[in-house]
Amino acid sequence: MPLSPGADEIRSGPVVRCPVCLHPDQGERRCRGCGFLLAGDPVLGAATEEDHRAAAAELAAAAHAWDLDAARRSPGDPAERAEIAGLLRPAPSGIPAPIPYPADVRHPAGGPGHAGTPGSSVAAGPSALADLLTGLTTGGPPEVLFVEFGTQRAAVVRAFVDAAGLPHALPYAETSWAELVPGLGPGEALRRFRLAGGVGTVEPVDRLDFDRAVRGWLRTVVPGAYEGTGTRTTAVVLLRGGTGWTLLDRAAAVLRETHAPSAESAPDPAPGPGTGSAVMARVRRLLRGVPLREPHTLLLARAGTGAGDHVPVELDHHVLFEAGLRLAPGETRTVTVTVHGGPPVLPPPHGAGAPAGGSAAPSETLLVVLPLLAGHYRPENSRPPLFDLPRAELPALGSARLTFVLRGPGEIEVRTGGGDTLAGAPDGRKPDLRALIHGVPRYLRRPRSLELICAVEMSGTDRAEVAERVGFTSDLIRAAERHSGAGGGLRVAVIGYYHHAPRNEHQRDRDLITYLRPGPPDRAQRQLRELPPEILPRDTLTSSLEDALRTAAKMAAGRRAEPVTQALLVVGRRPPALPSQDGLVPGCPRAVDWREQLGTLRHQGVRVGVRAEPFAVPAAPGVPSGELLRHYLTRTWQDLTGADHLHFRPGTDSAERAALAFSAERARDTDGCPLAFAAPPLPPRPSDLSGS
C-alpha cells in the first residue's frame, strides 16, 4: 500500500487524519502511524456524556504521550528543552499517560508507510549495498547518488570511481528544511520536534503537504534515477537515519515510492544533521568497502647493479595491498615496510646553497617523499595513479620501518616506528608525479675510499675534558666505518698532540705529538685508547697543533693505488701558534708555520674539518697587542676550515654527522634522490674490503 492517498483519492473528498499523529487515515481500525484506535466495536444506543469524556481523556493522553515521545527523541540544550516542553499537548488531569505503544504497533519496520512500499525488497539487506558498491569498480552504474534526510536539511552526495578505480564523493545537492518545508519553522528546537513527529499546540505541518514538498525536491535533484523502462542511468542509495523520526521516515518512504532506491544503508543510532560535511563523511565510510581494483603500491628507488663509479638508479614498486582486497565495515589492514635513506650530499662550496659562516656538513636525515599509487607508474600514462604523497625524514644511508594502514581504496595512513602519522599532500593541491620522477637521478656516484686523519688534543686541565674528545673521535671512527662500505673502504690515522714545551737551551726537546699512520679502523681505535692524557696545572694559550698539521701533511703526501678521499678532523680546544711570537700571540717553539702546513694539505686535496671547544679569550686591558690576540684566537679556527666550512660544534653536531660530512660527495646536478630506497643504496663493489 502506498504511503499516502493518490491524486484521485485526494480530490474525491477531504482527507481524514489521525487526531494523535496527523497520519492520513486510510480506513483502518488503528492508525498506521501511531497505533491509536480510530474505530471501536459498534455498540447499541447513543454515546453518553461519560463516554465522550472518557474518549476525550483517552485522546488527550495519547496526544500528550505522542508529543512527549517526540520531545524525547529530539533533545537539545536546557533552553531548547524548555521551549519544546511549552509546545506539548497537555495530558488530562487525573488520568495517567498511557504506556508507549509497542514498536511493532506504532512504527512498523522502516517507519510509517514502509511495508509494501515499492523498492523495499531491494533494500532488504546489506548485500544489496555491497553489490552496488562493487559494481562501481566492475562496470556497474557509473555513479551512485546517496540521499540522506537529516535533522537540519536534506542532502545528496554523488559517488563515482576514477580511471584508477578509486572512489570519490562530491556534494551534489543540499537544501535546508526551512527552505524545503517552511511550515517546519525557523527555530532548530521546533524543527527537530516536528521532524520527530511532534504535533504540539501550534499550527501543525500537514503530512501530505510535507510528502509533496519532498517528492518535488527529489524529482529536481535526482533526475533520471529511475525511468519508466526500468533502465538505470544513476543508482540511488538511501542513507537511513534513526528510526522513529516520523517526518524523516515519511521522506524516506517518498524516496522509495518515487525513485526505488537500489539499496539502503543500515540506520544510524540517531539521524545526523544532514549537512554536506556529515553526509560526505558517512558516504566515505561506506566507500571504504569498495574492493581495490588496482594494487596499492609504494614507489621507491632502487640501486641497480654495477661495479663502476656510477650506479644506475631504477624505479621500484613495492606492493602494499593486492588488487581485489575488500575491507569489512570498520576494518583496516596493516603492512610494515623497511625503507632506506640515500647518500648524503654536501651543498656546493660557492654560490646558492653555500653556508654563510656555518657548517657545510650534511644533515643526518634526508627528507623524502613516499608516493602512494593505485597501480604502477608508467611514463606513457597521461594521468599517473598517484593518490597521496606523504613525506618522511630518513637517516642518511640508514633505514627506517614504516607502517602503512589501509582504511579504504586510496586511503592509506603512514606511521613511523614511534607512532607518529606522516602528513600527506595538502588538500586541493595535486602533486606532480612527473616532476617528482624527473628529480630522481639516473645515476649515483659511488664515493671513493676514505682516508681519515684524526688529530686529537690530549692536553687539558682535567681528565674528563680529554676523555670527551677521545670518546667523540672513537664514535666518529665507528660511524665512518659504517658508511665506508658504499665506497672502497676506510683507513684511519690518529695523531695525539699536546701543549707547547717551553724553549729552554738547558732542556731537551720532548715529543709534542704521537701518531699512527693510516691503517685499519680497529688498529686506530686501539691507538686512540692508548694515547696518554696530559693534565695541565693551568690553562695555556696554544697547543702543538701546528706540529700535528705538519705530520698530517706528510701522511697525505704520496701516490695511492686508487683515488681516495682524504680528510683531516681536528678535535681540540686551543688553536695553533704562529711561527714566532707577536706581542701576546704566542709562537711555536719549533717555528712551524701552521698556515704553510694548511696550504700543503689543501693543495693535496685534503678536506679539513674542526671540532673546536669554546675557549675564553683572556682580557688584556691597556695592552696594545691585546686586541690582536683576541682576533687571532677567534679567527684561527675559521681559517683552518676555509672553503670546506666543516666546523662542528660540541654538544650540537654529532659524530654521525661529522662522519657523513667526510663521506658525502659534493652536489652537482641534483640535491639527492627525492625517493626512499627499497634496499641500501650503493652496495659495495665485490673488491671493496673495509680497512684494506
Side-chain angles (χ1 to χ4, degrees):
M1 182 177 293
L3 170 69
S4 55
D8 294 337
E9 186 177 351
I10 294 176
R11 285 195 294 267
S12 65
V15 178
V16 180
R17 295 168 177 79
C18 171
V20 175
C21 69
L22 302 186
H23 189 73
D25 178 22
Q26 298 175 6
E28 296 174 319
R29 190 165 179 264
R30 284 189 179 272
C31 174
R32 295 191 66 202
C34 66
F36 185 72
L37 185 63
L38 297 175
D41 296 329
V43 295
L44 295 175
T48 66
E49 188 69 25
E50 182 62 27
D51 291 334
H52 285 291
R53 284 196 300 270
E58 185 178 356
L59 174 59
H64 176 76
W66 176 264
D67 285 353
L68 184 61
D69 197 29
R72 288 169 178 164
R73 284 196 300 274
S74 55
D77 57 37
E80 291 175 332
R81 290 197 296 269
E83 179 185 349
I84 293 176
L87 300 173
L88 303 182
R89 289 173 287 182
S93 59
I95 300 179
I99 299 174
Y101 296 101
D104 58 344
V105 175
R106 296 186 57 199
H107 299 294
H114 180 76
T117 302
S120 60
S121 60
V122 178
S127 61
L129 180 57
D131 294 342
L132 180 63
L133 296 181
T134 301
L136 277 175
T137 62
T138 57
E143 64 179 11
V144 176
L145 296 183
F146 291 86
V147 183
E148 181 185 70
F149 299 104
T151 59
Q152 293 181 2
R153 62 198 68 208
V156 181
V157 171
R158 173 176 172 259
F160 61 95
V161 297
D162 60 18
L166 299 180
H168 299 273
L170 296 175
Y172 187 77
E174 186 176 340
T175 305
S176 67
W177 286 116
E179 180 182 354
L180 184 57
V181 186
L184 288 172
E188 185 172 347
L190 176 60
R191 181 188 68 248
R192 286 202 316 270
F193 173 66
R194 284 176 163 171
L195 289 174
V199 176
T201 57
V202 295
E203 183 68 23
V205 175
D206 185 84
R207 293 338 191 208
L208 297 182
D209 288 344
F210 177 86
D211 297 346
R212 281 189 287 271
V214 173
R215 188 178 294 110
W217 179 78
L218 287 172
R219 285 173 178 167
T220 301
V221 301
V222 193
Y226 185 77
E227 298 179 350
T229 60
T231 302
R232 291 275 182 176
T233 58
T234 300
V236 177
V237 172
L238 171 62
L239 299 178
R240 295 170 59 190
T243 57
W245 284 64
T246 304
L247 295 190
L248 298 184
D249 288 344
R250 291 189 72 89
V254 170
L255 177 67
R256 298 186 187 102
E257 269 190 16
T258 57
H259 291 81
S262 302
E264 297 185 14
S265 71
D268 276 354
T275 61
S277 58
V279 183
M280 288 282 289
R282 189 175 179 186
V283 171
R284 287 194 180 104
R285 288 195 296 269
L286 292 174
L287 293 179
R288 287 173 175 171
V290 173
L292 305 188
R293 195 171 78 186
E294 299 287 345
H296 282 24
T297 62
L298 169 65
L299 186 62
L300 300 168
R302 181 181 292 275
T305 58
D309 291 335
H310 291 79
V311 179
V313 178
E314 306 164 352
L315 295 181
D316 181 83
H317 291 85
H318 183 97
V319 177
L320 300 172
F321 305 100
E322 297 286 353
L325 175 62
R326 183 173 196 163
L327 299 178
E331 182 188 11
T332 61
R333 294 290 181 91
T334 300
V335 65
T336 301
V337 179
T338 299
V339 295
H340 302 263
V345 178
L346 287 173
H350 303 290
S359 172
S363 173
E364 298 174 42
T365 60
L366 302 173
L367 181 64
V368 299
V369 292
L370 305 166
L372 300 176
L373 312 179
H376 293 72
Y377 169 75
R378 296 178 179 86
E380 66 275 9
N381 192 349
S382 60
R383 290 188 296 176
L386 174 71
F387 62 82
D388 204 358
L389 196 66
R391 288 164 168 77
E393 282 193 355
L394 301 181
L397 292 177
S399 63
R401 288 180 65 80
L402 301 177
T403 300
F404 297 81
V405 182
L406 177 69
R407 300 194 177 278
E411 189 176 351
I412 294 180
E413 182 181 279
V414 187
R415 300 173 184 166
T416 65
D420 297 328
T421 301
L422 300 180
D427 292 338
R429 295 178 58 186
K430 185 67 173 177
D432 190 344
L433 182 59
R434 292 184 178 278
L436 175 67
I437 299 300
H438 183 71
V440 177
R442 296 179 58 189
Y443 295 93
L444 292 179
R445 293 187 300 276
R446 190 189 300 272
R448 298 176 176 180
S449 302
L450 176 62
E451 190 172 273
L452 178 62
I453 304 173
C454 300
V456 185
E457 182 179 359
M458 298 302 297
S459 297
T461 56
D462 57 64
R463 292 185 177 275
E465 175 186 331
V466 178
E468 194 279 334
R469 297 181 195 130
V470 172
F472 174 86
T473 307
S474 179
D475 293 341
L476 168 72
I477 296 173
R478 280 194 293 268
E481 192 173 9
R482 286 196 303 270
H483 299 318
S484 63
L490 172 69
R491 294 170 60 84
V492 182
V494 173
I495 301 174
Y497 65 94
Y498 298 84
H499 74 286
H500 278 144
R503 180 179 293 275
N504 190 323
E505 60 181 358
H506 302 293
Q507 294 180 352
R508 182 169 55 89
D509 286 347
R510 65 179 179 84
D511 291 335
L512 302 179
I513 60 170
T514 301
Y515 64 90
L516 178 71
R517 293 189 177 276
D522 55 348
R523 191 184 71 172
Q525 290 277 26
R526 289 195 301 270
Q527 172 70 13
L528 181 64
R529 290 192 298 268
E530 294 171 358
L531 287 176
E534 185 177 44
I535 308 306
L536 302 174
R538 61 182 180 85
D539 233 351
T540 58
L541 289 176
T542 56
S543 64
S544 58
L545 177 54
E546 62 274 10
D547 298 273
L549 295 176
R550 182 173 59 178
T551 302
K554 292 179 180 179
M555 289 181 179
R559 300 176 60 87
R560 300 309 193 265
E562 60 182 19
V564 297
T565 296
Q566 293 179 300
L568 167 66
L569 176 63
V570 177
V571 182
R573 181 165 174 264
R574 295 174 295 170
L578 291 174
S580 60
Q581 185 154 340
D582 183 5
L584 296 182
V585 180
C588 173
R590 295 179 178 175
V592 177
D593 191 340
W594 67 269
R595 291 168 295 193
E596 291 182 1
Q597 306 307 319
L598 180 62
T600 301
L601 288 167
R602 288 176 178 166
H603 179 73
Q604 294 167 342
V606 179
R607 296 162 63 184
V608 179
V610 166
R611 190 207 187 235
E613 303 159 18
F615 186 85
V617 179
V623 179
S625 58
E627 184 62 30
L628 176 63
L629 174 63
R630 286 192 295 273
H631 177 76
Y632 176 81
L633 295 178
T634 55
R635 291 289 302 176
T636 301
W637 290 125
Q638 298 179 23
D639 294 340
L640 270 171
T641 60
D644 289 322
H645 295 285
L646 296 175
H647 196 105
F648 306 102
R649 295 161 295 178
T652 301
D653 296 318
S654 65
E656 182 81 15
R657 188 182 185 198
L660 288 173
F662 290 120
S663 60
E665 292 289 324
R666 287 288 185 192
R668 295 179 187 173
D669 300 329
T670 176
D671 290 333
C673 182
L675 300 179
F677 280 83
L682 301 174
R685 303 182 182 91
S687 60
D688 291 344
L689 296 175
S690 179
S692 59

